[in-house]
Amino acid sequence: MSNETNYEQHQPLTKEEFQARMKEMGKSQFIREEMLRLGFWTEETLTPEEQAERSQDLSELQIVQKELDELRSEARKLGDIKEQLKIARQKRIEESKRKRDEKKAQMEQASAEAQKQWTKYKKIHIPHVGNRYSIGLEHTGMDKEKLEAWRLPVLQTAKELACAMEIELNRLQWLTYHRDTATLCHYHRFSIPKKSGGTREISAPKPELRQAQQWVKEHILDLLPIHPTAYGFVKGKSTVDNARVHIQKRIVVKMDLQDFFPTITFWRVRGLFEWMGYSRQISTLLALLTTEPPHQQVKYDGKYYYIAIGERQLPQGACTSPAITNLITWGMDQQLHAWTEKMGYAYSRYADDLTFSSETLSSSQQVGVLLKRVRSTVKLHGFQVNEEKTRILRHTRRQRVTGIVVNEKPNLTRRRLRQFRALLHDVELHGLEAANRQNHPNLWAYINGYISYMAMVRPDLSHKYNEQASRISQKYGLSYVGIPV
C-alpha cells in the first residue's frame, strides 16, 4: 500500500500533529494535501511538462508566501500603525517645540545683548541726525596721522567731540539735528542793506550754537593754512592789504563770485572735514554745526514753524563760515595764482571778490583770455562768476579794490572824505542827536570805526580827524579811545 493510501486512511490528526505537518509542509501545501485527503479536491494526472510547470508555480508561490509571512511578521512587530504614527507625530511636535523654544531663547538673548550694545553705543555716539544726513554716522575710522600732522584734535566719537566742546552729548545732538520742519531755529535772522542795492540776509547763531562754532573755528579751522592770495577774514590781513597788491597797475580786472556762501553746501563742508582726516561721523557733526538750510517762517494753527526751503549751506553771520570758504577755495586760489602769474597778472581774493592786475596795459584780446580762463577755473571748483559785477579798470580812470582807490597809493574817495568831514563838523556844532539825520542806530560807534579805518588807509589824514573826535567827546561827554599818535 502506498504512502498516499496510508495517509488517506489515517485517523484525524491531533492538534500537535496538525501544527507539525503545517510547519513541515508549509501552509499552502498542507491545505492542498488536506483537501485531497478529505475529498474536497481531486488531482488529475499531469504530464511531466505540466508537473514541472506546476512545481515551478508552487515554488514561486512559496517564495511569495514567504515574503508575505515576513511582512506580516514585521507588521506584528510594528503593532498598530495609527498608534505608531500618532507617537511619531507627537515626537516631531515636541522636537519642533523644543527647537522653537531654544531658538526663541537664543533670539531673546541676542536681542538683550543687542539692546545692551545699542545702549552702550548711544552713550558715546549720535546714531541719528535727521533724514539724508545720517548716512555714514556709523563710520568712525579716522586718519590719526594726518590729524596729528595738522595738529588738530584727535576725535573719534561724538562723545569725545562733546567733551572737547565742554557740552553734554544730548546738547550736541540737539544742535546738530536736522529737521525740514521745526518749531525752533538756532539762528536769529535779519536783513541789512547792500551798497549795490537790495538786502543781504544775515543769520546770527544763538549763544549755545555760537559757542560751539567758536570752538570749531579756534581748535580746527584756524589751525589750517590758507593760500597767501586770500585776504578776507584772515588774521593780520585787511582790505588795505588786499588793495596794496594792485597799487599803480596799468589795468585792474575785478570779478565777483555769485552766491558765494550758499554755493558751499553741507556736502562740501563735510568733505572738507573728511579731507582733514576726520571720520565720516565727526565730519557730519562738524558740518551740521556749521551749516544751516534757508528757512521760511509760516504760521499754522496759531503756531510758528520754520520750513527748510533748500540745502544746508554756510550761513552768513556764523564765525566759521569765512574760515571754511578760505579753506575750500584753496585749490582755486592756487590754480588762479599759478597761471595768472605766468600771464603777468597779480591775483588776490577777498571773500567773493577776485581781483587781477597787471603793470602792462593788456589788449582786449588778452583780457578776454584772462576772463575766459577765470570763468572755467571758477566753474571747475564749483563756483560761478557774477557777470554783472565784472569790471575792467584801466589806469586812466579811478581804480578801486575792496573800496580803496589804488591808482597811486591806498586812498579814499574825495566824496567819502567830504561826507565824513561834514558829518564831524555837524556833530561838533550841534551834537550827535541833531546831526544824525540818517537815523543811524549808533552814530558815535560808526564815527569811531571810520576813523580807525582811515588810520589804516590814510594815516596822514587820520590824526586831524582823531583830534576833532577827541574834542567832540570832551564837549558832549562821550567815550572815545582814539588811535595811537
Side-chain angles (χ1 to χ4, degrees):
M1 185 178 294
S2 65
N3 292 336
E4 186 176 351
T5 303
N6 291 335
Y7 182 76
E8 291 175 351
Q9 295 177 355
H10 200 280
Q11 293 296 326
L13 300 175
T14 64
K15 182 178 180 180
E16 290 77 7
E17 291 175 336
F18 187 89
Q19 290 177 346
R21 295 279 292 174
M22 182 181 290
K23 185 176 181 181
E24 178 183 357
M25 301 175 63
K27 184 177 180 181
S28 298
Q29 181 64 22
F30 176 74
I31 292 173
R32 176 178 172 279
E33 294 293 341
E34 281 295 295
M35 291 180 70
L36 287 171
R37 183 178 72 82
L38 296 174
F40 292 105
W41 184 25
T42 60
E43 187 176 30
E44 298 178 358
T45 303
L46 302 176
T47 64
E49 291 79 7
E50 291 176 336
Q51 185 69 34
E53 184 178 352
R54 184 177 181 183
S55 297
Q56 184 178 355
D57 292 341
L58 289 174
S59 177
E60 292 176 356
L61 183 61
Q62 289 176 352
I63 294 173
V64 172
Q65 184 64 43
K66 184 177 180 181
E67 291 177 352
L68 288 173
D69 292 341
E70 290 176 355
L71 290 174
R72 290 190 183 96
S73 176
E74 292 295 328
R76 284 193 296 271
K77 291 180 181 179
L78 291 174
D80 190 349
I81 298 298
K82 290 185 178 180
E83 184 64 25
Q84 293 296 326
L85 289 174
K86 183 178 179 181
I87 294 172
R89 189 181 298 112
Q90 185 64 31
K91 287 182 177 179
R92 287 199 302 270
I93 291 173
E94 291 176 357
E95 180 66 15
S96 177
K97 184 178 179 181
R98 183 190 66 79
K99 289 182 178 179
R100 186 168 62 250
D101 293 342
E102 183 179 335
K103 186 175 181 180
K104 183 179 178 181
Q106 291 175 352
M107 291 178 64
E108 289 177 350
Q109 183 179 359
S111 178
E113 182 63 25
Q115 185 63 38
K116 181 180 178 181
Q117 293 298 325
W118 179 244
T119 303
K120 183 179 179 181
Y121 181 87
K122 290 193 295 183
K123 288 182 179 180
I124 59 175
H125 298 285
I126 295 177
H128 188 68
V129 290
N131 295 334
R132 302 194 308 279
Y133 301 102
S134 298
I135 299 174
L137 281 177
E138 69 278 9
H139 299 309
T140 58
M142 61 179 175
D143 191 336
K144 186 177 180 181
E145 292 183 0
K146 193 172 184 180
L147 291 172
E148 290 176 344
W150 289 119
R151 297 183 180 179
L152 300 177
V154 178
L155 305 169
Q156 189 170 13
T157 66
K159 179 68 174 178
E160 291 177 358
L161 177 60
C163 290
M165 291 181 172
E166 297 182 352
I167 61 176
E168 296 296 327
L169 183 61
N170 62 344
R171 300 307 293 175
L172 177 61
Q173 185 172 18
W174 180 69
L175 290 173
T176 56
Y177 198 88
H178 172 85
R179 293 180 177 87
D180 290 329
T181 302
T183 56
L184 60 88
C185 182
H186 293 300
Y187 290 84
H188 295 293
R189 287 182 166 83
F190 55 92
S191 301
I192 60 174
K194 293 182 180 180
K195 292 182 180 179
S196 57
T199 59
R200 187 186 306 277
E201 297 298 322
I202 301 298
S203 299
K206 293 178 181 179
E208 193 168 359
L209 179 60
R210 182 171 64 248
Q211 181 181 353
Q213 290 177 344
Q214 188 66 34
W215 185 92
V216 175
K217 179 180 182 296
E218 293 178 359
H219 293 85
I220 297 178
L221 300 176
D222 287 349
L223 301 182
L224 293 165
I226 62 173
H227 199 271
T229 58
Y231 286 83
F233 313 106
V234 179
K235 187 176 181 180
K237 293 184 178 181
S238 65
T239 56
V240 179
D241 297 312
N242 181 65
R244 284 198 179 102
V245 177
H246 308 286
I247 290 176
Q248 296 183 3
K249 297 297 179 70
R250 303 279 285 178
I251 187 170
V252 174
V253 178
K254 296 168 57 179
M255 305 180 77
D256 182 85
L257 299 179
Q258 188 170 354
D259 298 327
F260 185 48
F261 278 32
T263 301
I264 302 176
T265 62
F266 164 87
W267 311 106
R268 299 182 70 175
V269 177
R270 187 180 72 175
L272 172 66
F273 287 113
E274 287 187 291
W275 170 83
M276 295 177 192
Y278 286 111
S279 67
R280 174 63 59 87
Q281 180 182 115
I282 297 299
S283 298
T284 298
L285 297 176
L286 293 173
L288 288 168
L289 283 173
T290 54
T291 60
E292 179 76 356
H295 283 109
Q296 182 176 351
Q297 189 179 34
V298 298
K299 187 177 182 181
Y300 177 74
D301 197 20
K303 194 173 184 178
Y304 285 98
Y305 295 88
Y306 297 92
I307 310 299
I309 56 175
E311 283 279 3
R312 295 185 72 95
Q313 56 195 234
L314 288 185
Q316 297 192 53
C319 65
T320 50
S321 295
I324 290 174
T325 62
N326 283 334
L327 292 171
I328 284 182
T329 54
W330 194 97
M332 183 185 73
D333 291 336
Q334 172 65 18
Q335 195 168 350
L336 288 174
H337 171 69
W339 64 258
T340 53
E341 189 176 40
K342 292 180 180 179
M343 291 181 65
Y345 280 83
Y347 163 70
S348 70
R349 181 182 59 80
Y350 195 96
D352 56 353
D353 292 327
L354 313 180
T355 307
F356 308 87
S357 62
S358 176
E359 295 179 352
T360 59
L361 192 59
S362 304
S363 64
S364 298
Q365 184 178 3
Q366 290 173 320
V367 174
V369 172
L370 173 72
L371 295 177
K372 184 177 180 180
R373 294 197 66 174
V374 171
R375 292 188 189 103
S376 62
T377 303
V378 165
K379 185 176 181 180
L380 179 66
H381 289 273
F383 298 100
Q384 186 176 352
V385 172
N386 186 352
E387 299 295 348
E388 294 181 358
K389 293 187 177 182
T390 298
R391 299 287 184 271
I392 301 171
L393 309 173
R394 301 186 183 274
H395 69 288
T396 53
R397 57 179 294 190
R398 186 172 62 193
Q399 298 169 325
R400 291 178 64 186
V401 176
T402 51
I404 299 172
V405 180
V406 294
N407 291 71
E408 298 295 333
K409 61 181 179 180
N411 205 352
L412 300 170
T413 63
R414 292 189 180 91
R415 180 183 177 185
R416 290 195 67 182
L417 287 174
R418 285 198 301 267
Q419 289 175 341
F420 188 69
R421 185 166 57 246
L423 174 63
L424 277 183
H425 180 72
D426 197 6
V427 170
E428 188 171 10
L429 288 179
H430 305 103
L432 277 176
E433 187 174 347
N436 191 9
R437 295 179 177 83
Q438 301 297 325
N439 295 319
H440 197 286
N442 195 334
L443 182 60
W444 185 241
Y446 164 74
I447 291 173
N448 278 259
Y450 195 79
I451 292 176
S452 297
Y453 175 69
M454 189 182 297
M456 292 191 303
V457 183
R458 289 291 305 273
D460 55 320
L461 296 178
S462 62
H463 296 296
K464 179 176 67 173
Y465 296 108
N466 184 41
E467 292 175 358
Q468 189 175 4
S470 296
R471 292 198 304 269
I472 293 171
S473 66
Q474 293 174 4
K475 182 177 180 179
Y476 295 103
L478 302 171
S479 176
Y480 180 67
V481 176
I483 57 174
V485 179

